[in-house]
Amino acid sequence: MLVNGRHYRTVWMENGKVKMIDQPLLPHRFEIAEMKNHTETTEAIKTMIVRGAGAIGATAGFGMAQAFLNAPENGFDDYVKKAVETLRSTRPTAQNLFYAIDRVLAAAKKESSVKAKRKVAVSEAQRIADEDAESCKRIGEIGEKLLKDSCNISTHCNAGWLAFVDWGTALSPIYAAKRSGKKIFVYVDETRPRCQGARMTAWELLQEGIPHAVIADNATGHYMKAGKMDIVIVGADRIAANGDVANKIGTYSSAVLAKENGIAFYVAALTSTIDLKCESGDKIPIEERGQEEVTHMFGRTEDGKHGKVRIMPEGSQVFNPAFDVTPAKYITGIITEKGIVKANREEINNLFKS
Amino acid sequence: MLVNGRHYRTVWMENGKVKMIDQPLLPHRFEIAEMKNHTETTEAIKTMIVRGAGAIGATAGFGMAQAFLNAPENGFDDYVKKAVETLRSTRPTAQNLFYAIDRVLAAAKKESSVKAKRKVAVSEAQRIADEDAESCKRIGEIGEKLLKDSCNISTHCNAGWLAFVDWGTALSPIYAAKRSGKKIFVYVDETRPRCQGARMTAWELLQEGIPHAVIADNATGHYMKAGKMDIVIVGADRIAANGDVANKIGTYSSAVLAKENGIAFYVAALTSTIDLKCESGDKIPIEERGQEEVTHMFGRTEDGKHGKVRIMPEGSQVFNPAFDVTPAKYITGIITEKGIVKANREEINNLFKS
């Protein structure tokens, strides 16, 4: 997508170097970080210079390609093996990380010469990144049909291109609608406690020139009742086999409010987010995150540095669930790269038959 | 209520001086500000060292008493008249301000000697403060019956004693329940954008030793669905004749989520908050406040000062409605100092017959 009028992906490979948007600096500074070798790329994943399922997967793939490129002919396999180990240990719950590592390994395994292994590792890593971007773009083309001209869209958290290689999921139909000439307006939930809406989604929309306003999460219901929102599109962290959706805390509230006010509520996600082995939403564990996300607020201080302020008294307890589960009954449909399905077992199963 | 184990009111008069809790310093510092004369007291209202309907009213009453005390015998009436003018201009939409000024004026008018006027002005101001505290205490006694032992209460924003002279409205039943030996737990919505929940309500509960946790507003629905909340009590800024309630932004969302999850939703307010001339909630204008409340977050910086951080990019628009309207159908009941009524025209009217 566009940044300062130029097209960027979140992560890409160039002459053996992995380049990526330095995400912790956003939205206050836009810089490209450059990782010379797989060790630096591994560190970038670990320190979350890159974040988001699709973007992490692509970065891991490129990191693997770097390992193959830099491995000495003498001790080649050992070097790669060690690289795999450190790369795997960066974000132990990121499924796309393991998927990308294994795919590059499997592709290289088919070749016998070091030269051929290097070549295929690079091309396979590139393919992983391209596939992510292509699938997200498809979600945009498919989801765009749901957006009428002059419609007002509500979104929660950041399921934009920064979390993937390009396009994103929930924001992809918005980018597609803009390109097809539709007039649209986006209400961006700031998404406390980490404010990914105010930080990431607002920045993405600003760069793409899409009219939007950031609102406190508390104001979403008010605008729904006032008839100001026509459709809600959010992303998903995990979709159960029955259509229940785990996503950023506050998604459930948005879904209930949408239903109460007769507003369509869509989830946009790659089919890889669907976990058929997970029967229903109540089987999805909800991560409880650190207290500091609630007790403090992070941002740019008055002297232009990254800093924080404490917003509540010392001594008060904090609960900080990172996700909630939206039962399938509140969901109008799930937009995937293979089409839009209802949030039920049968239609979800059909996505995997072909 | 208690602060560091000692009982305080938000504002009181002592030897001609008006003393008040310096509220902008909370929750990070507890200090008593002292206003030597009505000019200083007027300034304190203007700069919001004191805020909240009941507390502003009481402070204005005490300020009037100071004006009477300090007015020179020569030019007495002019001095008082000028004091009234400056006091009235501080917070032009605060109904309790005008009510208190007029009451002290009317009481003094009945006396003819300067000495008697001074005496009655002080006693009338004291009566206004005492009545506010007494009415709030009654809300506590009445509302406390709704709270079962071991119950979990959700509240939004701050309708505690800091906004009144003592006890508060939504928090008063909680303080009463604590004193009657019930075990209770309070979920405090942080209440973006101004975070009155995280700042004020958490501080009040901490001082009173009431177990509580602050949560992001986004987490309220999640805990309701999980069966963790038994009852919601919130305050009100204005109640229409049909029972619709205007209150801090996010109240409507909480009410819809409560109904969806079968949780009782109560509004606690003094009968003076009911505006019989306002037919229904859609007649209540919604104030749009400054963008900085959303673009920035205010609190204690790392070096212990009061500061702010910017949490979103420059250039993104912000909408910041201060209040929303909760339709009467979502409200289980309204707790007033005269008893609990259903949120409908008939029962509300009955409050004013007697």
Side-chain angles (χ1 to χ4, degrees):
Chain A
M1 296 291 104
L2 296 179
V3 182
N4 303 325
R6 215 190 109 184
H7 179 261
Y8 283 89
R9 284 185 167 186
T10 50
V11 57
W12 67 96
M13 200 164 172
E14 217 176 285
N15 303 324
K17 286 171 190 153
V18 178
K19 297 189 172 187
M20 60 187 77
I21 296 174
D22 195 332
Q23 298 204 28
L25 299 182
L26 292 177
H28 305 300
R29 252 162 66 205
F30 175 72
E31 280 181 25
I32 304 301
E34 192 178 289
M35 308 299 152
K36 288 192 298 293
N37 50 50
H38 82 271
T39 313
E40 288 185 11
T41 302
T42 302
E43 201 58 23
I45 296 173
K46 205 171 178 173
T47 57
M48 295 177 78
I49 290 176
V50 65
R51 35 67 67 182
I56 288 173
T59 308
F62 288 135
M64 282 299 297
Q66 285 180 312
F68 275 100
L69 288 176
N70 297 327
E73 301 214 14
N74 194 356
F76 189 87
D77 288 347
D78 277 356
Y79 186 96
V80 170
K81 199 180 155 194
K82 225 182 141 195
V84 169
E85 275 167 24
T86 55
L87 210 41
R88 273 183 191 278
S89 67
T90 49
R91 299 287 303 273
T93 54
Q95 228 171 323
N96 292 49
L97 179 87
F98 303 108
Y99 170 79
I101 294 169
D102 292 345
R103 246 183 86 171
V104 176
L105 275 180
K109 210 175 180 181
K110 287 180 192 152
E111 305 294 333
S112 49
S113 78
V114 162
K115 196 182 164 193
K117 277 179 192 291
R118 284 179 176 153
K119 199 179 161 196
V120 83
V122 171
S123 62
E124 190 69 14
Q126 188 57 49
R127 198 167 297 129
I128 291 168
D130 291 345
E131 283 175 14
D132 183 86
E134 189 52 40
S135 294
C136 284
K137 192 180 179 198
R138 275 297 292 152
I139 286 180
E141 290 162 354
I142 292 166
E144 185 263 335
K145 296 183 182 78
L146 299 169
L147 304 180
K148 294 200 180 73
D149 195 28
S150 299
C151 79
N152 295 297
I153 305 143
S154 164
T155 190
H156 192 71
C157 197
N158 176 257
W161 68 278
L162 288 171
F164 296 87
V165 174
D166 210 351
W167 294 90
T169 55
L171 299 189
S172 188
I174 291 167
Y175 296 136
K178 171 83 193 304
R179 278 162 178 66
S180 73
K182 286 178 188 167
K183 219 183 117 192
I184 47 174
F185 187 89
V186 185
Y187 286 83
V188 179
D189 288 352
E190 65 170 348
T191 319
R192 275 282 284 162
R194 286 169 67 87
C195 291
Q196 295 94 335
R199 290 191 292 116
M200 306 298 218
T201 299
W203 184 83
E204 285 194 21
L205 297 177
L206 205 55
Q207 293 297 333
E208 280 282 322
I210 292 170
H212 65 282
V214 176
I215 56 174
D217 306 298
N218 278 323
T220 307
H222 170 69
Y223 285 115
M224 285 186 179
K225 182 162 72 76
K228 302 280 189 193
M229 293 174 178
D230 303 303
I231 184 172
V232 184
I233 312 181
V234 298
D237 282 274
R238 199 158 156 196
I239 301 176
N242 71 340
D244 293 350
V245 168
N247 192 43
K248 186 64 56 201
I249 191 77
T251 303
Y252 165 71
S253 301
S254 180
V256 169
L257 287 159
K259 189 167 198 190
E260 187 74 7
N261 290 287
I263 297 165
F265 186 92
Y266 283 92
V267 173
L270 297 174
T271 49
S272 57
T273 310
I274 299 169
D275 183 359
L276 290 178
K277 276 175 270 172
C278 180
E279 274 301 302
S280 66
D282 50 14
K283 301 283 186 300
I284 302 175
I286 301 297
E287 179 191 357
E288 176 80 19
R289 294 184 53 92
Q291 301 222 346
E292 205 188 25
E293 291 180 1
V294 178
T295 59
H296 289 70
M297 196 74 148
F298 296 79
R300 195 185 60 195
T301 61
E302 286 166 274
D303 55 1
K305 292 186 185 130
H306 184 78
K308 59 183 178 182
V309 292
R310 185 179 182 91
I311 59 164
M312 48 176 281
E314 309 264 358
S316 285
Q317 198 181 353
V318 159
F319 295 154
N320 184 21
F323 306 103
D324 60 26
V325 172
T326 300
K329 67 173 173 178
Y330 297 104
I331 299 166
T332 312
I334 303 172
I335 311 166
T336 78
E337 78 279 14
K338 295 183 182 172
I340 301 173
V341 295
K342 289 221 167 69
N344 65 42
R345 207 173 291 271
E346 198 189 342
E347 295 210 8
I348 286 173
N349 270 330
N350 285 342
L351 284 172
F352 297 93
K353 285 174 193 158
S354 62
Chain B
M1 296 291 105
L2 297 178
V3 182
N4 302 324
R6 215 190 108 184
H7 179 262
Y8 283 89
R9 283 184 169 187
T10 49
V11 58
W12 66 98
M13 200 163 171
E14 219 177 283
N15 303 324
K17 286 172 191 151
V18 179
K19 296 190 173 185
M20 60 186 76
I21 297 174
D22 194 334
Q23 297 205 29
L25 300 181
L26 293 177
H28 304 300
R29 252 161 67 205
F30 175 72
E31 279 181 25
I32 304 301
E34 194 178 288
M35 308 301 150
K36 288 193 296 294
N37 50 50
H38 82 272
T39 313
E40 288 185 11
T41 302
T42 303
E43 201 57 23
I45 296 173
K46 205 170 180 175
T47 57
M48 296 176 78
I49 289 175
V50 65
R51 34 64 71 181
I56 286 173
T59 308
F62 288 135
M64 282 299 297
Q66 285 181 311
F68 275 100
L69 287 177
N70 297 329
E73 300 215 14
N74 194 355
F76 189 86
D77 288 347
D78 278 355
Y79 186 96
V80 169
K81 201 180 155 198
K82 223 180 142 196
V84 169
E85 275 167 24
T86 54
L87 209 42
R88 274 182 191 277
S89 67
T90 50
R91 300 286 304 273
T93 54
Q95 227 171 323
N96 292 50
L97 179 88
F98 303 108
Y99 170 79
I101 293 169
D102 292 344
R103 245 183 87 171
V104 176
L105 274 181
K109 209 175 181 180
K110 287 180 192 151
E111 305 293 334
S112 49
S113 76
V114 162
K115 195 182 166 194
K117 279 180 191 288
R118 284 179 176 153
K119 199 180 163 196
V120 83
V122 172
S123 63
E124 190 67 13
Q126 187 60 47
R127 198 168 298 129
I128 292 168
D130 290 345
E131 282 174 13
D132 184 86
E134 188 53 38
S135 294
C136 284
K137 191 178 182 199
R138 275 297 292 153
I139 287 180
E141 290 162 353
I142 291 165
E144 185 263 335
K145 296 182 182 78
L146 299 168
L147 304 180
K148 295 202 178 74
D149 195 29
S150 299
C151 79
N152 295 296
I153 304 143
S154 165
T155 191
H156 193 70
C157 197
N158 176 257
W161 68 277
L162 288 171
F164 296 87
V165 175
D166 210 352
W167 292 91
T169 55
L171 299 189
S172 188
I174 290 166
Y175 297 137
K178 170 83 194 301
R179 279 162 176 66
S180 73
K182 286 177 188 168
K183 217 181 118 191
I184 47 175
F185 187 88
V186 184
Y187 286 84
V188 180
D189 288 352
E190 66 170 347
T191 320
R192 275 284 284 161
R194 288 169 65 89
C195 291
Q196 295 94 334
R199 290 191 293 117
M200 306 298 221
T201 300
W203 183 82
E204 284 194 21
L205 296 176
L206 206 55
Q207 293 297 334
E208 280 281 323
I210 291 169
H212 65 281
V214 176
I215 56 174
D217 305 297
N218 277 323
T220 307
H222 170 68
Y223 285 116
M224 284 185 180
K225 181 160 74 76
K228 301 280 188 192
M229 294 174 179
D230 303 303
I231 184 171
V232 184
I233 311 181
V234 298
D237 282 274
R238 198 157 157 197
I239 301 176
N242 71 340
D244 293 348
V245 169
N247 191 44
K248 185 65 54 205
I249 190 77
T251 303
Y252 164 71
S253 300
S254 179
V256 169
L257 287 159
K259 190 166 199 193
E260 186 74 8
N261 289 287
I263 297 165
F265 186 90
Y266 283 92
V267 172
L270 297 174
T271 49
S272 56
T273 310
I274 299 170
D275 182 358
L276 290 180
K277 276 175 271 170
C278 181
E279 274 301 301
S280 66
D282 50 13
K283 302 283 188 297
I284 302 175
I286 300 297
E287 179 191 357
E288 176 81 20
R289 294 183 53 90
Q291 302 221 347
E292 205 187 25
E293 291 181 1
V294 177
T295 58
H296 289 71
M297 195 75 150
F298 296 78
R300 196 186 60 195
T301 60
E302 285 166 273
D303 54 1
K305 293 186 184 128
H306 184 77
K308 60 183 177 179
V309 291
R310 185 180 181 91
I311 59 164
M312 48 176 281
E314 311 265 356
S316 285
Q317 197 181 354
V318 159
F319 295 155
N320 184 20
F323 307 103
D324 59 26
V325 172
T326 300
K329 67 174 174 177
Y330 297 105
I331 299 166
T332 311
I334 302 173
I335 311 167
T336 79
E337 78 279 14
K338 296 185 182 173
I340 300 172
V341 294
K342 289 220 167 69
N344 65 43
R345 208 172 291 271
E346 197 190 341
E347 296 210 8
I348 286 174
N349 271 330
N350 285 340
L351 284 172
F352 297 93
K353 287 176 192 158
S354 65

